[in-house]
Amino acid sequence: GAATHRQITDAMLMTKLLLVTFLATASALKVAGGPVVPQPAVKPSSMSTALQLRGGGMVDQGVWLKAASAFFGLYGVGFLLAP
């Protein structure tokens, strides 16, 4: 009766579950091709990237030194004149 029908249903369900498990395992183990060898990425130099970020162009070292010296010098004067 009902108990025999349930045993058959459980056995069929278990068989189907095992079949799906084996098929999934077999497809997971299948290798599509040979090993993938990573290619080194060609990166632009950090200097050209920095220049593109700032809008291009280089600042002369002498101009940069004079501007930085003036800025920090006036910064120090501001500290001396502060109450």
Side-chain angles (χ1 to χ4, degrees), residues 3-74:
T4 307
H5 179 66
R6 182 172 176 86
Q7 287 175 348
I8 293 173
T9 306
D10 288 344
M12 294 277 292
L13 184 63
M14 186 59 75
T15 304
K16 289 179 184 178
L17 180 64
L18 284 173
L19 179 62
V20 169
T21 303
F22 289 141
L23 289 174
T25 304
S27 65
L29 294 175
K30 182 180 176 185
V31 179
V36 177
V37 179
Q39 298 295 326
V42 178
K43 295 180 182 177
S45 69
S46 61
M47 181 61 101
S48 67
T49 306
L51 287 176
Q52 288 174 355
L53 181 64
R54 291 188 301 171
M58 287 288 290
V59 178
D60 184 42
Q61 284 183 336
V63 173
W64 166 251
L65 181 61
K66 288 177 188 174
S69 297
F71 173 79
F72 290 120
L74 290 173

Side-chain angles (χ1 to χ4, degrees), residues 78-83:
F79 270 107
L80 290 175
L81 297 177

